[in-house]
Amino acid sequence: MLSDFIMRAALAGVGTAIAAGFLGSFVVWRRMAYFGDATAHAAVLGVAIALGFQVSILGSVGVVAVLMAVGLWALTGRGFAADTVLGVLSHGALALGLLAVALVPSARVDLDTYLFGDVLTVSKTDLAVIWGGAAVVVGVLAWRWSRMLTATVSPDLAYAAGIDPRREQLILTLLLAGVVAVSIKVVGALLITALLIIPAAAARNLSRTPEAMAVIAVVCGIVAALGGVGLSFTLDTQAGPSIVCTAAALFVLSLLRRRA
Amino acid sequence: MSLLTAQNIHVRHGAATVLHNVSFAIQKGEIVTIVGPNGSGKSTLLRTLIGALQPTSGQVVRKAGLKIGYVPQKLHVDATMPMTVRRFLDLPTRVTDAEAEAALTRTGVVGIGTRPLDGLSGGQFQRVLLARAILSSPDILMLDEATQGLDQPGSAAFYQLIEDLRDSLGCAVLMVSHELHVVMSASDRVICLNGHVCCEGTPEVVSAAPEYRQLFGTGTKGALALYRHDHDHGHDHDHPHCHHEDAH
């Protein structure tokens, strides 16, 4: 019989992997990796604010991540978000967050949890947040899948069909902020983007249609999450790096079965 | 009533005004071709008509419920996205296998449904784009430099196909092209664009118009002048408005 906390850790990992797997495919197709980084790094600032002002970490992280995501979305609309600008925002937000946390006297102990994840300490409330968030992400993606896919293949095809690609991009951006907020405790801010990208990249090598890729990405993510939790438990390593290493190993395996 | 109307539109790209005071209308069943030199705003006009660009003044009016079948100049599906021909035909609305196969048959590329999009030749790809566009039973087909990369017999066959589709679907067709010598014969009406509408009318009227001659050459044999022009300026695809796909 598995102990309670391992069970919770596994469930948290699986919930996160489901949300990240579906959304991660869009992140890969739209080359939003840097977008994901900037949003996740901004979350560290959210953690600092929550610790400093004694407010809910989830709420604070959510608000900061959404603000960063919407800000980036507005910038891309004006043709700004070149790699450089994103790099400045992403690393600027991370540095600012780390600085802010350092200024909060009681916070040092907690920081590792949010940078690298601590899946073995998730509570039942955390679980509810993760699965609730995953349900919203998957629900919205399923609802708008065809419109988002069309807008991703070609904004002009979308316009001609009466779809507003900017709106679809905004929704994807908000979902990204949501995934960051709910998965920060599982993988940590520094490696959230890896959980979005690596399972999708592995799935690309095994699939012929976008839907197959998204589903395989979810499966890879789940395997990586369970493997990572096991690794974290047996070797007493941090959860985020353990999950991401497992995902990277799956990616290497996927190269052996690569399809055109 | 016209299917699609532009009323005195002005469109800007950054600081430059690309279209000045352009008015345009297209009727059911009509084949209209927009011709013009590099940078004349042909693609900009088409993208404004589909709603991808907003005019700074003037307005675009679509008939209520107008369905547009758009064939872009270029479509680059990111290599990270696996996409078969069959799945592509489902964008944005799912179609049945029978409908998909019928559309591919109609555009002359039957049986390639299972192939990945990035493995197609240029000509096959154009026909797949066209098949996708006709699957929505469009009121108007819009094609932006649809025959780029095809050789001359290939593009002649493509324009013949467009004409056949117009006849069988009863839709209007709006094309942008630089292949004047081929396009002229297939069009009911030609609009010569150079930031504004220089002249407009049947192919015969336009090719005889002084404004047109001034833009496209002054040779006494119109067709020959056009032909030569076309080869002298074979870099139309480097024109800055042609790479919107990459910009997103």
Side-chain angles (χ1 to χ4, degrees), chain A residues 1-28:
Chain A
M1 185 72 194
L2 286 169
S3 59
D4 243 18
F5 76 101
I6 300 243
M7 208 55 200
R8 283 203 299 274
L11 282 174
V14 169
T16 307
I18 290 173
F22 281 118
L23 190 64
S25 298
F26 276 105
V27 171
V28 166

mmCIF file of all heavy atoms in Angstrom, chain A residues 1-28:
data_model
loop_
_atom_site.group_PDB
_atom_site.id
_atom_site.type_symbol
_atom_site.label_atom_id
_atom_site.label_comp_id
_atom_site.label_asym_id
_atom_site.label_seq_id
_atom_site.Cartn_x
_atom_site.Cartn_y
_atom_site.Cartn_z
ATOM 1 N N MET A 1 0.850 -1.204 0.000
ATOM 2 C CA MET A 1 0.000 0.000 0.000
ATOM 3 C C MET A 1 0.885 1.253 0.000
ATOM 4 O O MET A 1 1.769 1.407 0.832
ATOM 5 C CB MET A 1 -0.874 -0.034 1.259
ATOM 6 C CG MET A 1 -1.898 1.100 1.334
ATOM 7 S SD MET A 1 -3.241 0.872 0.172
ATOM 8 C CE MET A 1 -3.968 2.493 0.206
ATOM 9 N N LEU A 2 0.637 2.100 -0.957
ATOM 10 C CA LEU A 2 1.429 3.325 -1.030
ATOM 11 C C LEU A 2 0.990 4.303 0.048
ATOM 12 O O LEU A 2 -0.180 4.395 0.370
ATOM 13 C CB LEU A 2 1.233 3.974 -2.405
ATOM 14 C CG LEU A 2 1.940 3.268 -3.564
ATOM 15 C CD1 LEU A 2 1.464 3.836 -4.872
ATOM 16 C CD2 LEU A 2 3.436 3.409 -3.433
ATOM 17 N N SER A 3 1.961 4.995 0.579
ATOM 18 C CA SER A 3 1.596 5.949 1.628
ATOM 19 C C SER A 3 0.886 7.150 1.003
ATOM 20 O O SER A 3 0.987 7.411 -0.193
ATOM 21 C CB SER A 3 2.834 6.391 2.386
ATOM 22 O OG SER A 3 3.728 6.980 1.485
ATOM 23 N N ASP A 4 0.191 7.849 1.883
ATOM 24 C CA ASP A 4 -0.651 8.958 1.466
ATOM 25 C C ASP A 4 0.086 10.034 0.667
ATOM 26 O O ASP A 4 -0.377 10.486 -0.367
ATOM 27 C CB ASP A 4 -1.240 9.608 2.729
ATOM 28 C CG ASP A 4 -2.742 9.489 2.730
ATOM 29 O OD1 ASP A 4 -3.251 8.636 1.976
ATOM 30 O OD2 ASP A 4 -3.386 10.257 3.471
ATOM 31 N N PHE A 5 1.254 10.411 1.179
ATOM 32 C CA PHE A 5 1.916 11.557 0.539
ATOM 33 C C PHE A 5 2.481 11.197 -0.836
ATOM 34 O O PHE A 5 2.525 12.008 -1.735
ATOM 35 C CB PHE A 5 2.968 12.186 1.476
ATOM 36 C CG PHE A 5 4.238 11.424 1.612
ATOM 37 C CD1 PHE A 5 5.364 11.817 0.902
ATOM 38 C CD2 PHE A 5 4.333 10.331 2.480
ATOM 39 C CE1 PHE A 5 6.561 11.134 1.052
ATOM 40 C CE2 PHE A 5 5.522 9.662 2.622
ATOM 41 C CZ PHE A 5 6.639 10.042 1.908
ATOM 42 N N ILE A 6 2.850 9.919 -1.004
ATOM 43 C CA ILE A 6 3.301 9.504 -2.336
ATOM 44 C C ILE A 6 2.124 9.519 -3.299
ATOM 45 O O ILE A 6 2.229 9.944 -4.451
ATOM 46 C CB ILE A 6 3.881 8.074 -2.299
ATOM 47 C CG1 ILE A 6 5.062 8.028 -1.359
ATOM 48 C CG2 ILE A 6 4.253 7.622 -3.703
ATOM 49 C CD1 ILE A 6 6.363 7.701 -1.967
ATOM 50 N N MET A 7 0.992 9.047 -2.810
ATOM 51 C CA MET A 7 -0.225 9.043 -3.619
ATOM 52 C C MET A 7 -0.564 10.467 -4.073
ATOM 53 O O MET A 7 -0.856 10.710 -5.241
ATOM 54 C CB MET A 7 -1.354 8.492 -2.729
ATOM 55 C CG MET A 7 -2.448 7.808 -3.492
ATOM 56 S SD MET A 7 -1.777 6.504 -4.510
ATOM 57 C CE MET A 7 -3.131 6.374 -5.638
ATOM 58 N N ARG A 8 -0.506 11.409 -3.111
ATOM 59 C CA ARG A 8 -0.818 12.807 -3.453
ATOM 60 C C ARG A 8 0.194 13.354 -4.450
ATOM 61 O O ARG A 8 -0.154 14.049 -5.400
ATOM 62 C CB ARG A 8 -0.824 13.667 -2.180
ATOM 63 C CG ARG A 8 -2.077 13.509 -1.341
ATOM 64 C CD ARG A 8 -2.285 14.734 -0.444
ATOM 65 N NE ARG A 8 -1.186 14.942 0.494
ATOM 66 C CZ ARG A 8 -1.111 14.344 1.699
ATOM 67 N NH1 ARG A 8 -2.078 13.538 2.093
ATOM 68 N NH2 ARG A 8 -0.096 14.575 2.493
ATOM 69 N N ALA A 9 1.463 13.006 -4.233
ATOM 70 C CA ALA A 9 2.507 13.489 -5.142
ATOM 71 C C ALA A 9 2.256 12.966 -6.554
ATOM 72 O O ALA A 9 2.354 13.703 -7.542
ATOM 73 C CB ALA A 9 3.881 13.040 -4.654
ATOM 74 N N ALA A 10 1.906 11.680 -6.634
ATOM 75 C CA ALA A 10 1.665 11.093 -7.954
ATOM 76 C C ALA A 10 0.474 11.769 -8.620
ATOM 77 O O ALA A 10 0.512 12.122 -9.815
ATOM 78 C CB ALA A 10 1.423 9.591 -7.815
ATOM 79 N N LEU A 11 -0.600 11.980 -7.867
ATOM 80 C CA LEU A 11 -1.787 12.625 -8.431
ATOM 81 C C LEU A 11 -1.483 14.056 -8.875
ATOM 82 O O LEU A 11 -1.952 14.510 -9.922
ATOM 83 C CB LEU A 11 -2.920 12.633 -7.395
ATOM 84 C CG LEU A 11 -3.656 11.302 -7.226
ATOM 85 C CD1 LEU A 11 -4.644 11.393 -6.076
ATOM 86 C CD2 LEU A 11 -4.367 10.931 -8.523
ATOM 87 N N ALA A 12 -0.686 14.765 -8.066
ATOM 88 C CA ALA A 12 -0.323 16.136 -8.432
ATOM 89 C C ALA A 12 0.479 16.133 -9.733
ATOM 90 O O ALA A 12 0.232 16.940 -10.643
ATOM 91 C CB ALA A 12 0.486 16.775 -7.317
ATOM 92 N N GLY A 13 1.420 15.197 -9.833
ATOM 93 C CA GLY A 13 2.243 15.101 -11.041
ATOM 94 C C GLY A 13 1.400 14.792 -12.263
ATOM 95 O O GLY A 13 1.556 15.403 -13.326
ATOM 96 N N VAL A 14 0.470 13.847 -12.109
ATOM 97 C CA VAL A 14 -0.365 13.452 -13.251
ATOM 98 C C VAL A 14 -1.257 14.616 -13.691
ATOM 99 O O VAL A 14 -1.390 14.903 -14.888
ATOM 100 C CB VAL A 14 -1.209 12.205 -12.895
ATOM 101 C CG1 VAL A 14 -2.263 11.938 -13.951
ATOM 102 C CG2 VAL A 14 -0.298 10.991 -12.743
ATOM 103 N N GLY A 15 -1.865 15.314 -12.716
ATOM 104 C CA GLY A 15 -2.731 16.453 -13.044
ATOM 105 C C GLY A 15 -1.968 17.517 -13.810
ATOM 106 O O GLY A 15 -2.434 18.038 -14.834
ATOM 107 N N THR A 16 -0.779 17.829 -13.317
ATOM 108 C CA THR A 16 0.041 18.828 -13.984
ATOM 109 C C THR A 16 0.426 18.374 -15.395
ATOM 110 O O THR A 16 0.394 19.154 -16.346
ATOM 111 C CB THR A 16 1.331 19.073 -13.169
ATOM 112 O OG1 THR A 16 0.967 19.371 -11.841
ATOM 113 C CG2 THR A 16 2.135 20.210 -13.746
ATOM 114 N N ALA A 17 0.771 17.105 -15.513
ATOM 115 C CA ALA A 17 1.215 16.584 -16.808
ATOM 116 C C ALA A 17 0.086 16.645 -17.841
ATOM 117 O O ALA A 17 0.332 16.896 -19.025
ATOM 118 C CB ALA A 17 1.701 15.142 -16.656
ATOM 119 N N ILE A 18 -1.145 16.424 -17.407
ATOM 120 C CA ILE A 18 -2.264 16.468 -18.352
ATOM 121 C C ILE A 18 -2.423 17.882 -18.909
ATOM 122 O O ILE A 18 -2.500 18.083 -20.129
ATOM 123 C CB ILE A 18 -3.566 16.000 -17.656
ATOM 124 C CG1 ILE A 18 -3.483 14.488 -17.371
ATOM 125 C CG2 ILE A 18 -4.778 16.292 -18.530
ATOM 126 C CD1 ILE A 18 -4.631 13.953 -16.531
ATOM 127 N N ALA A 19 -2.443 18.879 -18.008
ATOM 128 C CA ALA A 19 -2.595 20.263 -18.463
ATOM 129 C C ALA A 19 -1.407 20.683 -19.325
ATOM 130 O O ALA A 19 -1.561 21.258 -20.411
ATOM 131 C CB ALA A 19 -2.740 21.187 -17.259
ATOM 132 N N ALA A 20 -0.208 20.368 -18.843
ATOM 133 C CA ALA A 20 0.999 20.801 -19.553
ATOM 134 C C ALA A 20 1.143 20.075 -20.889
ATOM 135 O O ALA A 20 1.635 20.651 -21.864
ATOM 136 C CB ALA A 20 2.231 20.557 -18.679
ATOM 137 N N GLY A 21 0.724 18.835 -20.965
ATOM 138 C CA GLY A 21 0.859 18.077 -22.209
ATOM 139 C C GLY A 21 0.023 18.668 -23.336
ATOM 140 O O GLY A 21 0.508 18.869 -24.445
ATOM 141 N N PHE A 22 -1.257 18.959 -23.029
ATOM 142 C CA PHE A 22 -2.117 19.534 -24.070
ATOM 143 C C PHE A 22 -1.647 20.929 -24.462
ATOM 144 O O PHE A 22 -1.503 21.255 -25.638
ATOM 145 C CB PHE A 22 -3.573 19.596 -23.602
ATOM 146 C CG PHE A 22 -4.286 18.270 -23.689
ATOM 147 C CD1 PHE A 22 -4.783 17.645 -22.557
ATOM 148 C CD2 PHE A 22 -4.462 17.658 -24.923
ATOM 149 C CE1 PHE A 22 -5.438 16.420 -22.642
ATOM 150 C CE2 PHE A 22 -5.116 16.434 -25.013
ATOM 151 C CZ PHE A 22 -5.602 15.819 -23.874
ATOM 152 N N LEU A 23 -1.406 21.766 -23.454
ATOM 153 C CA LEU A 23 -1.008 23.138 -23.749
ATOM 154 C C LEU A 23 0.387 23.186 -24.364
ATOM 155 O O LEU A 23 0.671 24.015 -25.238
ATOM 156 C CB LEU A 23 -1.052 23.980 -22.466
ATOM 157 C CG LEU A 23 -0.891 25.475 -22.694
ATOM 158 C CD1 LEU A 23 -2.064 26.013 -23.511
ATOM 159 C CD2 LEU A 23 -0.784 26.222 -21.385
ATOM 160 N N GLY A 24 1.253 22.258 -23.909
ATOM 161 C CA GLY A 24 2.634 22.251 -24.381
ATOM 162 C C GLY A 24 2.734 22.095 -25.890
ATOM 163 O O GLY A 24 3.630 22.664 -26.523
ATOM 164 N N SER A 25 1.803 21.340 -26.479
ATOM 165 C CA SER A 25 1.840 21.184 -27.932
ATOM 166 C C SER A 25 1.698 22.550 -28.608
ATOM 167 O O SER A 25 2.421 22.869 -29.553
ATOM 168 C CB SER A 25 0.722 20.250 -28.389
ATOM 169 O OG SER A 25 0.922 18.973 -27.809
ATOM 170 N N PHE A 26 0.772 23.373 -28.111
ATOM 171 C CA PHE A 26 0.618 24.718 -28.685
ATOM 172 C C PHE A 26 1.845 25.577 -28.433
ATOM 173 O O PHE A 26 2.245 26.366 -29.285
ATOM 174 C CB PHE A 26 -0.635 25.403 -28.120
ATOM 175 C CG PHE A 26 -1.889 25.032 -28.858
ATOM 176 C CD1 PHE A 26 -2.803 24.159 -28.307
ATOM 177 C CD2 PHE A 26 -2.128 25.536 -30.129
ATOM 178 C CE1 PHE A 26 -3.948 23.798 -29.002
ATOM 179 C CE2 PHE A 26 -3.265 25.191 -30.828
ATOM 180 C CZ PHE A 26 -4.182 24.320 -30.268
ATOM 181 N N VAL A 27 2.445 25.405 -27.247
ATOM 182 C CA VAL A 27 3.651 26.178 -26.944
ATOM 183 C C VAL A 27 4.756 25.841 -27.958
ATOM 184 O O VAL A 27 5.455 26.719 -28.458
ATOM 185 C CB VAL A 27 4.123 25.903 -25.496
ATOM 186 C CG1 VAL A 27 5.487 26.521 -25.243
ATOM 187 C CG2 VAL A 27 3.107 26.448 -24.502
ATOM 188 N N VAL A 28 4.856 24.559 -28.307
ATOM 189 C CA VAL A 28 5.873 24.141 -29.273
ATOM 190 C C VAL A 28 5.515 24.647 -30.674
ATOM 191 O O VAL A 28 6.344 25.237 -31.367
ATOM 192 C CB VAL A 28 6.016 22.606 -29.255
ATOM 193 C CG1 VAL A 28 6.799 22.111 -30.459
ATOM 194 C CG2 VAL A 28 6.698 22.170 -27.966
#
